[in-house]
Amino acid sequence: MGKFEITTRKNGEFQFNLKAGNGQVILSSEGYTTKSACNNGIESVRKNSQDDNKFDRKTSSNGKPYFNLKASNGQVIGNSEMYESDTSRENGIESVKKNAAIAEVSDLS
């Protein structure tokens, strides 16, 4: 089972990573000024990850596929790592869909 891990950045902001059952990070958040806002971001990922239309499939300037997860208002709430192929990116999206809804939250901040 996957989990959300909340950590504190060097600048004092909070962020979360969604990790798959194998420990690999499959989605990373932006920085939040409060832990409450970070928890709201996690809830937004839980909700929006169940809608395939919220995943924005992209290609970086060096040709590597990645994705962003967007909220209903169009704001990016999480982004993926860079993948080696479109198929790997799709597998990452499926992993977020599968894990986000049931992942527990681990506060490491």
Side-chain angles (χ1 to χ4, degrees):
M1 183 170 75
K3 68 179 172 180
F4 288 98
E5 287 187 347
I6 298 174
T7 56
T8 307
R9 293 180 172 180
K10 289 180 182 174
N11 66 1
E13 290 183 333
F14 298 94
Q15 79 167 62
F16 64 81
N17 288 315
L18 174 59
K19 292 187 172 184
N22 64 5
Q24 182 179 0
V25 175
I26 51 178
L27 191 73
S28 297
S29 76
E30 64 182 355
Y32 295 95
T33 55
T34 66
K35 193 178 293 187
S36 174
C38 188
N39 280 309
N40 288 342
I42 289 171
E43 290 310 310
S44 185
V45 169
R46 288 188 196 282
K47 176 182 162 194
N48 290 291
S49 64
Q50 303 311 300
D51 181 352
D52 190 68
N53 293 321
K54 301 286 174 69
F55 288 92
D56 195 7
R57 292 154 172 89
K58 302 236 183 221
T59 304
S60 68
S61 57
N62 66 357
K64 299 231 184 221
Y66 70 102
F67 64 86
N68 292 326
L69 176 61
K70 293 187 173 183
S72 298
N73 64 5
Q75 182 179 351
V76 174
I77 51 177
N79 50 57
S80 73
E81 65 179 355
M82 299 293 165
Y83 292 98
E84 294 299 320
S85 69
D86 290 346
T87 301
S88 295
R89 176 181 59 200
E90 292 305 312
N91 289 340
I93 289 171
E94 290 306 311
S95 184
V96 170
K97 289 178 184 177
K98 180 178 105 179
N99 286 285
I102 58 170
E104 56 188 51
V105 178
S106 178
D107 188 343
L108 306 176
S109 63

